[in-house]
Amino acid sequence: MEIRRLTRGDEHIWFKALSILLAETGEGAEKASLEDIAAAISDERCYLLVALHDDEPVGLLSAYRFPDVRTGGHLAYLYDIEVMDEKRGRGIGKGLVNTLIACCTLDGVRLVWAGTDMANKAARQTFV
């Protein structure tokens, strides 16, 4: 398995990941256009990560970096993380989060945060 941060020219990978992974959740009937995805990928503040198995998306993560106007520096908000149902419990979510943390560390981000409800056991296990 490979986890990678998408770069310019990878729009089709994110689009495919959305098509596969959000279809499982019942969300995402409407997806961003390839142009919108390309703009996000080109924005250094956006983190779009995909977990690939045999070149097929099995997980995705999106996060955004912004200035910390309270204490200085930068923060990142983990906006979305999805892992294919049949691939859960294999460390893919943790791998995505660890890759995000590594990218954020290189960018000088001091804190990565995410919101989830207490009933979301899978999400809570990802952050342990």
Side-chain angles (χ1 to χ4, degrees), residues 2-7 10 13 48-52 96 99:
E2 172 191 10
I3 296 176
R4 61 188 263 211
R5 182 177 183 180
L6 300 182
T7 59
D10 289 336
I13 297 171
L48 299 178
L49 308 177
V50 174
L52 300 164
L96 286 163
T99 301

Side-chain angles (χ1 to χ4, degrees), residues 69-105:
V69 296
R70 186 170 172 215
T71 63
H74 287 91
L75 304 173
Y77 179 71
L78 192 163
Y79 180 75
D80 199 9
I81 185 169
E82 295 288 340
V83 174
M84 192 177 282
D85 285 344
E86 62 268 17
K87 301 290 186 181
R88 290 184 180 173
R90 299 179 187 183
I92 296 170
K94 282 188 185 214
L96 286 163
V97 170
N98 288 338
T99 301
L100 172 64
I101 291 169
C103 291
C104 287
T105 299

Side-chain angles (χ1 to χ4, degrees), residues 106-121:
L106 290 173
D107 291 338
V109 172
R110 298 183 339 182
L111 177 69
V112 176
W113 56 284
T116 189
D117 65 52
M118 294 302 290
N120 189 339
K121 183 178 177 184

Side-chain angles (χ1 to χ4, degrees), residues 60-73:
L60 65 77
L61 180 150
S62 65
Y64 307 92
R65 183 177 75 236
F66 56 95
D68 182 349
V69 296
R70 186 170 172 215
T71 63

Side-chain angles (χ1 to χ4, degrees), residues 8-41:
R8 192 174 300 222
D10 289 336
E11 303 81 47
H12 62 285
I13 297 171
W14 186 259
F15 190 84
K16 186 174 185 177
L18 290 176
S19 299
I20 292 169
L21 295 159
L22 293 185
E24 290 187 356
T25 66
E27 296 178 30
E30 285 189 43
K31 288 178 276 313
S33 70
L34 287 173
E35 293 80 19
D36 290 334
I37 297 166
I41 287 173

